[in-house]
Amino acid sequence: MFPSTPTFLSRRYAPLVRTFAVALSLAVMAGCSSTGGTQTGESYGDGTRGDGTAGGASTAGTGSGGQYGSGTGTSGTGQQADSRIPEVRTIYFDFDRDTIKDEYESVVMAHARYLRANGNANVVLKGHTDERGTREYNLALGERRANAVKRFLRVQDVSSSQISVVSYGEERPATRGSNESAYSENRRVEFSY
């Protein structure tokens, strides 16, 4: 009745498996809660900054609506409407890593929603690193970081024609200095519209 080869099954069920995988990833991301954050995308869920000092009311850029704006969106959850470019346009990475941190997935999701809703919008993903490592290695790492964000956007059905990738490596630091505080500000991908 059915051919005995596994390719028959994989061809027959590939669309179902793909749909299930996308639905599962959306469900997982929708279930993740955000602790808010600063305009640069930093999140301090325990009330302290990354350097151990109290964050308190000095988290500029966070209104009552969390990290996506003033909370005036249509859903009332603090996420902005899909017609506006997300306010948080920088995500940060761990040392020598190109994996998107869980705390920034909601930021990338907001950009994916914006790009899907605005097919004529284009974004340049600018990959950066800290100063440690050779120039060549850092250029490659910056590109891997930007490509990780691009892959995430593509999984969310953003057209590849809307996304460009560029790596600056260590050449354009956000913060000057040779300490962990400066390094952590420089390991980033910026969304440029």
Side-chain angles (χ1 to χ4, degrees):
M1 180 178 223
F2 292 109
S4 62
T5 62
T7 57
F8 170 75
L9 291 176
S10 63
R11 273 190 256 133
R12 181 171 183 202
Y13 293 107
L16 180 62
V17 170
R18 190 175 312 119
T19 302
F20 178 73
V22 169
L24 181 62
S25 68
L26 290 174
V28 167
M29 288 183 209
C32 296
S33 65
S34 173
T35 58
T38 65
Q39 188 166 353
T40 61
E42 297 174 281
S43 178
Y44 308 119
D46 64 353
T48 60
R49 294 177 29 157
D51 59 4
T53 59
S58 65
T59 55
T62 57
S64 60
Q67 69 185 29
Y68 294 113
S70 63
T72 58
T74 57
S75 66
T77 62
Q79 292 182 356
Q80 71 181 41
D82 293 338
S83 62
R84 293 191 344 242
I85 297 173
E87 289 181 21
V88 179
R89 296 189 192 144
T90 304
I91 63 171
Y92 297 91
F93 292 80
D94 288 328
F95 172 70
D96 202 29
R97 300 296 303 261
D98 60 11
T99 307
I100 299 171
K101 295 181 181 183
D102 292 342
E103 64 195 88
Y104 296 114
E105 285 185 2
S106 60
V107 173
V108 182
M109 285 295 294
H111 286 277
R113 282 191 302 273
Y114 171 77
L115 288 165
R116 278 194 316 262
N118 299 280
N120 60 341
N122 295 312
V123 66
V124 178
L125 303 172
K126 299 177 179 180
H128 299 270
T129 67
D130 60 38
E131 65 185 30
R132 296 173 288 184
T134 65
R135 181 178 184 278
E136 293 78 15
Y137 181 82
N138 286 335
L139 282 170
L141 179 58
E143 184 174 0
R144 286 196 316 267
R145 288 175 175 164
N147 278 321
V149 175
K150 180 179 181 177
R151 280 190 304 275
F152 191 102
L153 293 171
R154 290 290 298 130
V155 167
Q156 302 306 318
D157 290 329
V158 175
S159 171
S160 61
S161 65
Q162 293 178 268
I163 308 167
S164 299
V165 168
V166 65
S167 175
Y168 293 109
E170 63 190 76
E171 301 301 318
R172 296 186 182 183
T175 303
R176 299 250 182 233
S178 296
N179 55 47
E180 186 53 39
S181 177
Y183 294 154
S184 65
E185 293 287 319
N186 292 329
R187 298 186 303 253
R188 68 196 190 280
V189 167
E190 298 172 341
F191 293 79
S192 181
Y193 290 91

